[in-house]
Amino acid sequence: MAGKSFKYVILGGGVSAGYAAREFAKQGVQPGELAIISKEAVAPYERPALSKAYLFPEGAARLPGFHVCVGSGGERLLPEWYKEKGIELILSTEIVKVDLASKTLKSAAGESFEYHVLVIATGSTVIRLTDFGVKGADAKNIFYLREIDDADKLVEAIKQKKNGTAVIVGGGYIGLELGAVMKLNNFDVSMVYPEPWCMPRLFTSGIAAFYEGYYANKGIKIIKGTVAVGFDSDTAGEVKAVNLKDGRVLDADIVVVGVGAKPLTTLFKGQVEEEKGGLKTDAFFKTSVSDVYAVGDVATFPMKLYNEIRRVEHVDHARKSAEHAVKAIKASEEKKSVDEYDYLPYFYSRSFDLSWQFYGDNVGDTVMFGDSNPASPKPKFGSYWIKDGKIVGAFLEGGTPEENKAIAKVARLQPPVGNLEQLSSEGLNFACKI
């Protein structure tokens, strides 16, 4: 089979791929120079929609509505857009072998692709309970959510098991967003996680207490400090119960698992330098191999703001790192330079009528402010993180766009703070006057 050859190849078809393609088009890529190779069957889309509006009982989001770059307020890049720009979208194609030395990619179907510059945008894959040998974890109606195919299967099951019972395994992003959306679909929902509170990687116990209280008020049962150790299924092979380590057994028509993700780096093992679970890059997303860049979840990069090497799993970084890498690629071709990537960590989530944003670093002492009563008609509260006498992180639930900008500014500028009690009473005003 004759191979295809491109000047630039983006490997992966997620959020990063779409934003990189848009940046290549802006920079003036020639027809036929760029290809995106994706194992998914659709053009790049905004992945966060899958755990939110895609699963709504009414007015659900569907493609082409959330193709990139609508998530950041840009235009939608429909499949036709790639055609118009002469960008080849090679879909439903899984790459199984990468040879960085010979600049060749091989697909599962035996096709070969050559490139001059490679952008690795393979993202992450979900961690599955079957990976840990959990008994019965391969039963039908146990779902993971990463790609649109996963979401479609879950939508079907929601229809089939109308008004049924759902168990959410995991108390992170996916757990909280899916718990809310299953409740909106009128399911009886239980959430199970081993940690002492939800979203422990980001939330303090005080922040988590609000969301757990709010969810409980919505009728969601929260079971903490234990894990799922097995699943029972019926004669059709469909899940019917979740066995917990503490001996409890929960009925379940649908189980959704969100216990984390791992970056997809296996194809590059031994060929490129790695660090902290990702592919090590410089401040322009160049890896240790010339003409090979890595962006999004798979990149471990220097975070200028904290003078540290980090890997970030979030859609905001997926978008921005992709754009930055392409600018760097084009600049180096033209013997020009671009600034180093200077990223401010940003995370957000929406569920029910809630919406929070976080900027910066969640280390040091914390100060909470505002109304964090889960029974309040319009709760609005936040938290600052203080390290070495400076604010390094800020969180806000229920903020306006202006207020969210203010907490972002505080996290970026890191103003000094003398008195924590005073900061607590000033609350959001402190950020708004910076």
Side-chain angles (χ1 to χ4, degrees):
M1 200 180 280
K4 285 185 167 185
S5 185
F6 300 94
K7 186 173 181 182
Y8 312 104
V9 167
I10 299 166
L11 179 54
V15 173
S16 283
Y19 281 76
R22 180 177 69 171
E23 190 56 42
F24 268 119
K26 269 188 200 167
Q27 299 279 341
V29 75
Q30 296 303 306
E33 283 188 337
L34 172 63
I36 292 174
I37 305 177
S38 171
K39 73 177 190 350
E40 290 195 69
V42 294
Y45 56 87
E46 302 283 0
R47 219 175 276 286
L50 298 183
S51 59
K52 302 177 181 75
Y54 201 81
L55 302 172
F56 283 178
E58 275 143 35
R62 287 291 176 270
L63 288 178
F66 58 97
H67 277 300
V68 299
C69 297
V70 293
S72 58
E75 62 164 320
R76 265 187 317 189
L77 309 185
L78 301 174
E80 302 82 80
W81 177 88
Y82 297 88
K83 270 200 192 78
E84 283 162 20
K85 300 288 179 196
I87 297 169
E88 195 154 339
L89 264 184
I90 302 168
L91 303 175
S92 305
T93 302
E94 187 180 1
I95 295 299
V96 292
K97 189 170 187 289
V98 172
D99 187 339
L100 298 181
S102 68
K103 298 191 167 194
T104 313
L105 314 173
K106 281 261 180 343
S107 78
E111 301 156 291
S112 97
F113 303 94
E114 289 179 359
Y115 63 84
H116 176 60
V117 175
L118 178 66
V119 179
I120 299 169
T122 44
S124 294
T125 185
V126 292
I127 294 168
R128 294 175 181 272
L129 296 179
T130 44
D131 299 345
F132 307 115
V134 175
K135 192 170 157 286
D138 52 358
K140 290 177 194 158
N141 291 340
I142 296 179
F143 297 97
Y144 297 83
L145 197 60
R146 185 71 199 173
E147 296 178 355
I148 207 156
D149 276 0
D150 304 326
D152 285 338
K153 287 172 190 155
L154 181 52
V155 167
E156 270 315 297
I158 288 170
K159 283 181 197 154
Q160 279 173 12
K161 303 291 180 185
K162 204 168 164 53
N163 307 336
T165 304
V167 175
I168 312 290
V169 176
Y173 261 107
I174 291 288
L176 285 165
E177 293 186 353
L178 266 290
V181 94
M182 293 307 286
K183 193 72 204 169
L184 293 176
N185 279 287
N186 209 26
F187 273 68
D188 182 5
V189 180
S190 299
M191 287 179 66
V192 179
Y193 43 93
E195 300 89 357
W197 62 78
C198 64
M199 280 288 273
R201 282 167 61 184
L202 176 60
F203 289 178
T204 61
S205 59
I207 294 172
F210 165 80
Y211 293 98
E212 289 174 350
Y214 190 97
Y215 275 48
N217 291 345
K218 293 277 187 191
I220 293 173
K221 292 181 275 302
I222 291 178
I223 301 164
K224 301 186 273 191
T226 189
V227 292
V229 289
F231 299 89
D232 300 334
S233 45
D234 62 17
T235 49
E238 293 188 350
V239 72
K240 64 172 188 182
V242 183
N243 302 304
L244 303 185
K245 195 176 183 177
D246 66 8
R248 277 185 272 189
V249 178
L250 308 175
D251 290 340
D253 297 308
I254 289 178
V255 173
V256 188
V257 182
V259 291
K262 54 188 178 201
L264 283 165
T265 57
T266 13
L267 287 171
F268 318 100
K269 285 271 174 265
Q271 302 188 67
V272 61
E273 212 177 310
E274 294 187 49
E275 194 167 331
K276 294 188 176 172
L279 307 177
K280 189 181 180 185
T281 76
D282 63 9
F284 308 99
F285 298 102
K286 260 165 89 165
T287 67
S288 59
V289 177
S290 66
D291 297 326
V292 177
Y293 293 73
V295 296
D297 288 9
V298 292
T300 302
F301 63 97
M303 200 176 276
K304 198 173 174 181
L305 196 56
Y306 307 123
N307 200 20
E308 268 181 36
I309 296 273
R310 292 197 188 176
R311 196 176 66 76
V312 174
E313 280 177 25
H314 195 260
V315 66
D316 180 62
H317 165 66
R319 294 168 181 150
K320 289 174 178 165
S321 59
E323 289 173 344
H324 202 88
V326 174
K327 284 176 184 152
I329 289 165
K330 297 302 276 182
S332 79
E333 287 174 359
E334 292 160 17
K335 304 281 184 279
K336 291 178 182 165
S337 63
V338 289
D339 290 336
E340 292 183 341
Y341 189 62
D342 187 7
Y343 185 64
L344 173 69
Y346 165 54
F347 300 95
Y348 69 86
S349 183
R350 290 189 298 276
S351 56
F352 294 120
D353 298 327
L354 304 174
S355 171
W356 60 259
Q357 295 196 5
F358 166 84
Y359 293 89
D361 214 7
N362 60 329
V363 292
D365 299 320
T366 55
V367 163
M368 256 181 102
F369 57 84
D371 173 13
S372 61
N373 179 351
S376 289
K378 275 217 174 253
K380 184 173 187 168
F381 69 95
S383 179
Y384 295 117
W385 280 259
I386 299 99
K387 190 186 173 200
D388 302 331
K390 296 184 299 192
I391 291 183
V392 292
F395 172 97
L396 186 60
E397 165 61 57
T400 63
E402 291 70 32
E403 289 164 343
N404 288 327
K405 274 189 189 135
I407 64 160
K409 195 172 178 185
V410 162
R412 165 72 75 186
L413 296 176
Q414 302 185 354
V417 176
N419 184 330
L420 297 191
E421 275 175 31
Q422 194 184 333
L423 180 63
S424 177
S425 68
E426 271 194 73
L428 191 52
N429 290 335
F430 180 89
C432 292
K433 63 177 201 220
I434 292 291

